[in-house]
Amino acid sequence: MTKQTLAAAPPCTLFLFGANGDLVKRLLMPALYNLSRDGLLDRNLRIVGVDHNPASAEDFAARLHAFMVERDKGGEGSAKCLDEKLWARLAKRLDYQTGDFLDPATYQALARRIDKTRHGNAIFYLATSPRFFPEVAQRLGQAGLLDESAGGFRRVVVEKPFGTDLASAEALNACLLKVMGERQIYRIDHYLGKETVQNILVSRFSNGLFESFWNNHYIDHVQITAAETVGVETRGAFYDSTGALRDMVPNHLFQLLAMVAMEPPAAFGADAVRGEKAKVVGAIRPWSAKMAQKNSVRGQYRAGKQGRKPLPGYRQEPNVAPDSQTETYVALKVMIDNWRWAGVPFYLRTGKRMSVRDTEIAICFKPAPYAQFRESELERPKPNYLKIQIQPNEGMWFDLQAKRPGPELVMENVELGFAYKDFFKMTPATGYETLIYDCLTGDQTLFQRADNIENGWRAVQPFLDAWAQGGEVHEYSAGEDGPEAGNELLTRDKREWHRLG
């Protein structure tokens, strides 16, 4: 086994805007705790929460500690047992700055904190409502906090959504680039922090076996699914104005598509990898309004059951309009117009209140061209799938046909593959650990670039425009795998969705 030799990240002051929000307590602080556990944080790292609610550093630390203790009862990235000594060392790094995001005095106070450090390094993490992204960025620039001329680095982390359509994404990028350089912007997508997502690149480009058949000569189609069993929970107000398409497709699902479909980069560096990803997303065919309607399905869950548990319909969720037409399920067919993928459809689907939690990529290979087994029950062999499961059971599996033991010629589907947990020691993680560490060390490989963001929205915009003209939002019961129309998107092409789970 290769020994890991990562060094601790350089010293820095990490400012968390929106410090009292869910993102900080649920994901960022647990990730920082895990990085501290692994010795990857410099002893001079300082973490400063920034929010308008008055609080002391002690108050801030106490609230986070209470959540970490509660979180240990279960949840993604949970350690099951909080190390109080480790937490005490991390808590000493915590501080708090009360301030309005729109008040210049807030930024003057942040500047004074940076001036007290020897290194001058600072990261501004915008864990806020998206409406504050341009406002905070402008004020950081006006206050001189993004100026690197004194030698320290200055970086800004922006959470999704990166706009709500092509025009707003272009406007946000223009606003950010007005006050800082692209190399200072870290547009974060937590899917890219997951081990199995990063492993797509390793599997593709370090194994000659894969790359030799990774093209339209051997691959029939690709399916990318992000299925959730949860509903909108407390996010009703946000979700009802956003929907499944905007929430998931131009970021999470297109990032997975880019990992699968990109060309081999000239080198494994940030510029080369991000350049290839931008190219392949830019090669997605822009549908006409008519074709966008034909190649998309919208769904919304109604009341149903998960096992014996009754579940409310989307319109009965808190802060959701009783006559809402917002989609909680979307299925799309997209085509990539380049040499490698010409003629290979990519089917994408995501939905809430589905039967299982499953994020996976299923690569379907073309079936054997000749039916040798005419006398058997399977005249034409089934296609083989390579399944890459992102969550919850991380791993890769390849299925193939084999003869069942016995005198009769009966074929059976078998799976070859591995689960991460069976081969590697998996420490608790949220998915943000790698991304925060990369931001601290200045590695932008797993972060989105402006052109990638805009290419994604350019591919999504035809669906938004077509839906604005009308079209049906199909119903499906909570606990089911979306509406029947989602299945028909594939059956009309003589294909079917790979079974979830």
Side-chain angles (χ1 to χ4, degrees):
M1 182 179 291
T2 303
K3 186 177 180 180
Q4 191 168 345
T5 57
L6 285 179
C12 173
T13 305
L14 174 60
F15 295 100
L16 302 177
F17 284 77
N20 295 312
D22 278 353
L23 178 62
V24 170
K25 69 179 183 181
R26 288 192 307 106
L27 295 170
L28 300 188
M29 281 310 304
L32 288 164
Y33 171 88
N34 292 339
L35 288 171
S36 179
R37 173 200 65 200
D38 296 339
L40 296 178
L41 299 181
D42 187 89
R43 60 189 179 88
N44 291 315
L45 173 76
R46 293 294 177 266
I47 304 163
V48 181
V50 183
D51 220 326
H52 67 278
N53 306 92
S56 65
E58 293 74 19
D59 294 335
F60 182 47
R63 284 199 300 267
L64 292 173
H65 178 261
F67 180 81
M68 293 286 285
V69 170
E70 181 66 25
R71 177 176 171 273
D72 275 345
K73 297 176 182 178
E76 188 173 3
S78 171
K80 303 296 188 223
C81 183
L82 184 70
D83 185 330
E84 292 291 352
K85 289 184 178 179
L86 176 58
W87 172 258
R89 290 197 296 271
L90 185 61
K92 290 179 180 178
R93 306 169 184 262
L94 298 176
D95 208 339
Y96 189 85
Q97 177 65 53
T98 303
D100 189 317
F101 300 155
L102 307 184
D103 185 354
T106 300
Y107 301 88
Q108 295 167 10
L110 302 188
R112 288 193 293 271
R113 288 179 179 273
I114 298 172
D115 289 341
K116 291 179 181 178
T117 68
R118 293 182 179 180
H119 48 75
N121 298 328
I123 294 176
F124 307 95
Y125 198 120
L126 308 190
T128 67
S129 167
R131 65 189 176 92
F132 287 113
F133 294 169
E135 299 285 356
V136 173
Q138 288 178 37
R139 283 163 176 77
L140 288 169
Q142 291 165 1
L145 292 172
L146 302 178
D147 183 4
E148 297 181 318
S149 60
F153 63 73
R154 304 295 168 87
R155 297 166 187 155
V156 175
V157 183
V158 184
E159 279 279 346
K160 77 171 186 73
F162 313 111
T164 57
D165 55 18
L166 177 58
S168 60
E170 290 174 334
L172 177 58
N173 281 330
C175 176
L176 296 175
L177 291 168
K178 187 176 180 180
V179 294
M180 70 190 100
E182 180 63 46
R183 63 179 179 77
Q184 294 177 274
I185 306 170
Y186 289 70
R187 300 174 189 83
I188 197 165
D189 185 336
H190 71 271
Y191 263 46
L192 296 186
K194 296 182 182 296
E195 292 290 351
T196 35
V197 174
Q198 297 173 60
N199 190 52
I200 296 170
L201 297 185
V202 175
S203 297
R204 278 194 60 190
F205 302 133
S206 66
N207 296 296
L209 170 68
F210 284 146
E211 193 58 24
S212 62
F213 57 65
W214 211 266
N215 54 60
N216 56 5
H217 296 296
Y218 299 100
I219 293 177
D220 178 76
H221 71 279
V222 177
Q223 301 177 21
I224 302 176
T225 297
E228 299 179 274
T229 55
V230 297
V232 296
E233 299 180 321
T234 61
R235 301 171 70 224
F238 163 78
Y239 200 90
D240 208 36
S241 61
T242 304
L245 179 68
R246 287 185 170 96
D247 190 40
M248 294 291 290
V249 175
N251 37 70
H252 298 333
L253 296 193
F254 276 1
Q255 284 300 296
L256 297 180
L257 179 149
M259 292 285 211
V260 170
M262 64 185 277
E263 292 298 314
F268 197 74
D271 288 341
V273 171
R274 299 201 300 172
E276 294 300 337
K277 286 165 64 178
K279 286 179 188 176
V280 76
V281 176
I284 295 175
R285 184 183 302 171
W287 294 123
S288 65
K290 181 180 179 179
M291 290 300 292
Q293 284 282 18
K294 179 181 178 181
N295 290 307
S296 65
V297 173
R298 289 180 287 171
Q300 186 185 93
Y301 66 82
R302 296 292 188 257
K305 289 184 177 182
Q306 193 82 45
R308 295 183 178 181
K309 180 183 177 182
L311 299 171
Y314 175 71
R315 294 179 181 179
Q316 286 75 56
E317 300 278 17
N319 301 313
V320 170
D323 59 348
S324 174
Q325 291 295 300
T326 298
E327 78 283 355
T328 61
Y329 169 97
V330 61
L332 308 175
K333 175 183 176 180
V334 301
M335 305 295 292
I336 298 175
D337 290 333
N338 64 16
W339 191 274
R340 181 185 293 263
W341 298 110
V344 177
F346 283 68
Y347 298 99
L348 316 179
R349 65 172 165 171
T350 182
K352 292 191 173 294
R353 290 294 190 207
M354 295 177 72
S355 64
V356 295
R357 176 175 175 253
D358 187 9
T359 300
E360 69 172 39
I361 300 165
I363 298 167
C364 180
F365 294 91
K366 293 180 178 179
Y370 177 67
Q372 296 98 330
F373 308 105
R374 289 193 176 89
E375 303 304 319
S376 74
E377 64 178 19
L378 184 62
E379 184 172 314
R380 186 168 178 80
K382 293 181 180 179
N384 305 115
Y385 280 92
L386 174 64
K387 185 177 78 168
I388 305 168
Q389 192 161 33
I390 311 301
Q391 61 184 14
N393 184 29
E394 298 95 335
M396 296 180 67
W397 289 270
F398 190 81
D399 65 13
L400 51 84
Q401 299 296 317
K403 178 186 175 297
R404 185 190 298 170
E408 189 178 7
L409 181 58
V410 178
M411 296 184 190
E412 193 141 326
N413 193 67
V414 297
E415 285 189 337
L416 304 176
F418 78 98
Y420 258 71
K421 61 182 175 59
D422 294 337
F423 283 81
F424 304 106
K425 182 180 179 181
M426 302 287 285
T427 54
T430 67
Y432 273 82
E433 289 82 0
T434 297
L435 299 173
I436 292 174
Y437 178 81
D438 285 353
C439 185
L440 289 167
T441 57
D443 185 349
Q444 290 185 301
T445 303
L446 297 177
F447 296 84
Q448 295 204 61
R449 206 167 60 187
D451 54 349
N452 199 343
I453 295 289
E454 292 175 15
N455 285 345
W457 280 112
R458 197 167 285 114
V460 162
Q461 194 64 48
F463 297 105
L464 294 173
D465 293 343
W467 294 356
Q469 298 172 19
E472 185 177 358
V473 179
H474 301 269
E475 297 182 4
Y476 66 99
S477 297
E480 295 181 350
D481 289 333
E484 181 56 33
N487 297 326
E488 292 170 359
L489 186 67
L490 273 72
T491 56
R492 74 180 189 207
D493 294 341
K494 295 182 171 55
R495 301 181 174 102
E496 61 183 12
W497 288 111
H498 188 260
R499 182 175 58 83
L500 292 178

